[in-house]
Amino acid sequence: MSVWDDLIGQDHVRAQLGAAARDADALVTAEAQGAEPPEASKMTHAWLFTGPPGAGRTTAARAFAAALQCVSPDRALGGEPGCGFCEGCHTAMIGTHADVTTIAAIGSQILVENMRDTVRMSYTSPANGRWQVILVQDADRLNEKSANAVLKAVEEPASRTVWLLCAPSIEDVLPTIRSRCRALTLRTPPVDAVADMLVRRDGVEPEAAYAAARATQGHIGRARKLATDERARARRATVLKLPLRVADVGAALRAAQELVDAAAEDARQASEEIDAKETEELKAALGAAQGGRMPRGTAGVMKDLEADQKRRKTRTQRDSLDLALSDLTGFYRDVLALQLGARGGPANEDMRDALERTARDSAPEQTLRRIEAVFACRDALDRNVAPLLAVEAMTMALRAG
Ligand SMILES: [Zn+2]
């Protein structure tokens, strides 16, 4: 077992990170012993992890963060940092390490207010004397202000601060930031490797693991959810029935409403629990000294939290709709492959009947138009068009004729 176990099908990235973690460790050790730091080092202060959704950008960044904090005694014997079970590795992996800070977008942006403390901290030394790691999960969602704050910090980093930025592609990050980063590109992991992981780590039956990995086309998180979550399977089945359902205007509008409602329900379920816990924690922190009564002047803080929670809920709903759109795109890709007589079975093998029927009843040009309609819906959602409006436009365009 090691911190790299969940990094699937990314040998080139794994090798670079392993070498950097080793050099980083040598540097810490040399400084602790008052020795000269090693001359050539593969370690650097800013990294940019890019790759398609689900390939494991954050997984790679988190594994690297853990390897940098590894305090396993094996390192002294030439072992690679990142054992996976020492205090440093373990707490970094579960997110409780004092010197590993994770920043994620709440809502569609990372606001500068959410970055300020972190940026300030990035100029200080790590608490444990190793590395101060700041992992920015959605560097593509930095807005102008927060990106500028990060840029300054990346330009003049403290000697033991490491920035790990994750984004879908290099172009999603400001040129001035990315020019300071070492870029690592993850690729879509092979279906077999994802299936193997589901069997090994999650105890999924091999056949179900393969079907889930294939249906999700190398998206690790979605494959795991599909293989292990009954609700996710039911949702996918409903979404993939949509192409056969939208025969007329009434059916198209009903289908749109159902999709949007289901996404809203996902968001409600996901946020209910976490919101209540956050609110309780904040109340406890603010009111602890007041015998449980809320002290004066804290209403603003509570309001900020509520605004954050609302943004997060909107984003969860968006993410849920996004999943449905991916499923639909996959469906029509399969239809197109059948229509064009492409070799290899469909990704959605379990939907073969519906795929064949749709392929028979329509022309390839129509399939292409439908794929475009799904993309247009995603674009509209990105531009904050009201979800129901965007989805209705799509389901209307998916109708026959
Ligand atoms: Zn370790």
Side-chain angles (χ1 to χ4, degrees):
M1 175 187 149
S2 83
V3 296
W4 312 105
D5 282 1
D6 280 354
L7 196 56
I8 307 297
Q10 315 290 345
D11 293 348
H12 60 302
V13 168
R14 159 79 180 77
Q16 285 195 60
L17 292 176
R22 198 187 292 258
D23 285 358
D25 186 48
L27 209 131
V28 172
T29 309
E31 284 187 13
Q33 294 168 347
E36 282 290 306
E39 257 180 39
S41 176
K42 297 193 172 73
M43 182 57 184
T44 186
H45 286 287
W47 299 75
L48 176 57
F49 296 81
T50 62
R57 301 183 293 247
T58 311
T59 305
R62 183 157 294 286
F64 186 42
L68 290 175
Q69 308 294 6
C70 183
V71 290
S72 153
D74 289 349
R75 290 172 306 125
L77 306 169
E80 199 189 53
C83 67
F85 50 80
C86 75
E87 181 71 11
C89 284
H90 178 67
T91 52
M93 291 300 272
I94 62 170
T96 59
H97 196 292
D99 291 326
V100 179
T101 306
T102 304
I103 301 280
I106 303 175
S108 60
Q109 291 187 346
I110 300 181
L111 303 173
V112 72
E113 290 80 3
N114 297 336
M115 285 298 310
R116 230 170 240 148
D117 289 345
T118 308
V119 167
R120 203 175 299 132
M121 194 190 66
S122 79
Y123 296 113
T124 64
S125 299
N128 77 348
R130 294 188 64 80
W131 300 92
Q132 174 125 268
V133 184
I134 298 158
L135 197 173
V136 183
Q137 276 188 2
D138 319 274
D140 53 314
R141 294 181 194 240
L142 289 164
N143 64 17
E144 202 184 326
K145 276 188 187 162
S146 51
N148 275 327
V150 170
L151 174 61
K152 281 207 196 85
V154 173
E155 273 175 333
E156 299 163 38
S159 65
R160 290 290 183 77
T161 295
V162 187
W163 286 84
L164 308 179
L165 309 179
C166 305
S169 74
I170 289 180
E171 290 73 29
D172 290 320
V173 178
L174 279 184
T176 40
I177 293 183
R178 67 183 193 238
S179 68
R180 308 263 163 189
C181 297
R182 185 165 307 158
L184 290 174
T185 308
L186 284 82
R187 48 180 173 232
T188 301
V191 168
D192 285 332
V194 175
D196 274 355
M197 186 206 62
L198 294 176
V199 172
R200 183 166 45 85
R201 303 258 312 168
D202 302 285
V204 178
E205 291 296 323
E207 205 171 311
Y210 186 79
R214 195 168 160 78
T216 50
Q217 297 283 292
H219 190 302
I220 296 170
R222 295 194 54 206
R224 175 177 276 154
K225 201 156 171 45
L226 202 57
T228 58
D229 182 346
E230 181 61 42
R231 214 174 109 82
R233 279 197 290 276
R235 170 65 49 78
R236 171 172 171 272
T238 312
V239 168
L240 292 182
K241 277 188 199 124
L242 192 140
L244 292 183
R245 276 183 55 202
V246 290
D248 55 55
V249 173
L253 295 180
R254 266 197 307 283
Q257 184 73 56
E258 280 172 27
L259 264 186
V260 173
D261 287 349
E265 176 60 18
D266 279 349
R268 196 188 61 76
Q269 286 198 4
S271 54
E272 217 163 50
E273 208 172 304
I274 185 167
D275 285 3
K277 188 163 166 275
E278 269 178 357
T279 307
E280 277 316 303
E281 280 172 3
L282 184 61
K283 273 189 185 160
L286 293 172
Q290 304 278 328
R293 254 207 331 274
M294 294 296 286
R296 277 163 173 277
T298 52
V301 187
M302 294 306 293
K303 221 176 216 138
D304 286 348
L305 178 67
E306 276 165 31
D308 280 353
Q309 290 175 338
K310 194 163 170 236
R311 273 195 292 270
R312 183 172 57 210
K313 197 169 174 183
T314 307
R315 180 168 175 197
T316 310
Q317 184 175 357
R318 267 290 325 266
D319 289 349
S320 170
L321 274 179
D322 226 47
L323 279 187
L325 299 186
S326 297
D327 284 337
L328 281 175
T329 312
F331 182 93
Y332 287 115
R333 279 213 183 104
D334 278 347
V335 169
L336 191 64
L338 286 174
Q339 288 172 327
L340 300 178
R343 267 191 282 170
N348 299 288
E349 182 62 57
D350 55 332
M351 297 298 295
R352 196 175 258 279
D353 287 349
L355 294 170
E356 281 175 351
R357 230 175 97 188
T358 312
R360 213 176 36 239
D361 295 347
S362 61
E365 296 75 35
Q366 214 168 357
T367 310
L368 279 173
R369 273 203 302 277
R370 286 168 168 162
I371 293 174
E372 274 163 21
V374 181
F375 286 159
C377 178
R378 177 168 288 159
D379 281 349
L381 291 171
D382 273 339
R383 293 195 315 271
N384 288 323
V385 170
L388 186 58
L389 221 61
V391 176
E392 276 177 359
M394 176 187 77
T395 54
M396 294 292 276
L398 295 182
R399 280 176 307 150

